[in-house]
Amino acid sequence: MLGGWWLETPVLDGGGQVLARQAGARKAWPASHDDEQRLCNIVHELAIAASMKPPQAMVLPREDRINAFAAGWDEDDAIVAVPQGALECLSRDEPQGLLAHEFSHLREGDTRLNMRLAGMVCGLEMIFSLGQRMCEANENGSRSFLALPGFAIMGTGSLGWLAGRALKAAVSRQREFLSDARTVQFTRSKDGLVGVLRKVAGERASAGRRPGGRTPHLHPAVHHMLLVSNAAPTRWFASHPPLAERIRRIYGRSMPVLPARHDEAVTRPDALF
């Protein structure tokens, strides 16, 4: 555990902005882009409504999927990061619902919990990760003599890996449900956040009909901080609840998916989600 904290200290001690830059984000440029100006305006409006110091608005320029995350130890170094795809696809009150979800994480201390959890999980997974690196093949596809002890180290550290992933996923799932509920209370509207989740569902439904999005190599520490998870792991290791369940909890019933872009049709436009 202490070793994991030591490895993560250069990232975590830098606060939300350092972690966001590790994930490929940059500060928003409101003077140069209209959509980023709208992002900054919404951030300041929500900060006034929540009586909070406005977090730094950041953009993931190489990510064209709908998502977002918040990070930071406190209000002084808090950030909200939104992919370029979300700025282009969301309309009307959907960006407000998206950002209100992240504001609720900041206001209730979820980001501080996530930052601490990131170091804790890194410590639990450190032995497994060491063995994994020792077993990696080079560019020619061959492994070095370190692979033999590496497999043994991976086996030794597998329990820590399982415990770390399960712990991180369990905490993250519950905080997402709570944040969804707080978002509806905060904005007094179900449509904003549910519209975002329905578009994410439509994005996934149409994924087989178009090339995959440009997804950067996000730092592992932010995987459980995202609005929605891009992966589809087993139930025990899922960092986010299923989209269908989140939508039903907010709306009380299944809802049809929405196309992420106006010129894009989902596979089953009449499917309930």
Side-chain angles (χ1 to χ4, degrees), residues 4-270:
W5 272 109
W6 179 74
L7 289 175
E8 288 293 291
T9 293
V11 175
L12 299 178
D13 279 357
Q17 288 197 36
V18 173
L19 191 60
R21 290 194 181 97
Q22 289 283 335
R26 60 162 173 80
K27 290 185 178 181
W29 297 335
S32 304
H33 301 84
D34 291 340
D35 51 2
E36 296 182 24
Q37 177 66 65
R38 182 178 65 166
L39 169 66
C40 293
N41 291 342
I42 296 175
V43 167
H44 282 83
E45 290 170 4
L46 290 173
I48 293 172
S51 299
M52 292 173 54
K53 181 178 179 179
Q56 174 64 54
M58 303 188 76
V59 178
L60 291 156
R62 296 186 302 276
E63 172 65 78
D64 65 354
R65 302 298 177 92
I66 299 173
N67 222 322
F69 72 88
W73 290 109
D74 50 39
E75 291 187 12
D76 292 331
D77 73 339
I79 65 96
V80 288
V82 180
Q84 185 66 38
L87 298 178
E88 297 172 355
C89 299
L90 302 182
S91 58
R92 298 180 183 176
D93 56 349
E94 292 168 353
Q96 187 178 43
L98 174 72
L99 290 169
H101 179 94
E102 303 307 324
F103 263 78
S104 67
H105 282 309
L106 291 170
R107 187 175 185 181
E108 300 300 324
D110 293 347
T111 56
R112 183 168 58 252
L113 173 65
N114 284 334
M115 298 278 278
R116 290 173 178 168
L117 192 61
M120 183 184 300
V121 170
C122 182
L124 289 171
E125 298 179 353
M126 187 177 63
I127 296 176
F128 179 86
S129 299
L130 175 62
Q132 191 176 42
R133 291 191 184 97
M134 293 171 66
C135 297
E136 288 179 351
N138 58 25
E139 56 185 9
N140 298 324
S142 59
R143 293 185 173 90
S144 70
F145 68 93
L146 294 175
L148 186 58
F151 283 116
I153 292 174
M154 284 179 62
T156 304
S158 59
L159 182 60
W161 182 88
L162 292 170
R165 291 299 176 92
L167 172 65
K168 182 168 63 174
V171 173
S172 180
R173 285 195 301 270
Q174 292 305 313
R175 303 311 291 183
E176 288 302 320
F177 279 135
L178 290 172
S179 188
D180 286 347
R182 288 193 297 256
T183 300
V184 175
Q185 291 177 330
F186 187 56
T187 61
R188 300 294 191 270
S189 173
K190 302 177 181 179
D191 297 332
L193 180 59
V194 172
V196 174
L197 298 178
R198 290 169 66 191
K199 284 192 173 181
V200 172
E203 196 174 55
R204 292 180 176 180
S206 61
R209 303 184 60 188
R210 64 183 178 89
R214 300 162 288 156
T215 304
H217 180 66
L218 297 178
H219 192 278
V222 306
H223 287 178
H224 62 296
M225 301 180 185
L226 297 171
L227 172 72
V228 292
S229 175
N230 291 326
T234 58
R235 176 182 177 184
W236 289 103
F237 301 112
S239 61
H240 291 68
L243 281 173
E245 186 175 355
R246 293 174 69 178
I247 292 173
R248 279 197 298 268
R249 286 199 179 201
I250 297 173
Y251 244 77
R253 65 181 187 277
S254 298
M255 297 292 292
V257 301
L258 293 174
R261 291 172 172 80
H262 296 297
D263 57 349
E264 180 182 74
V266 298
T267 305
R268 294 178 55 203
D270 59 339

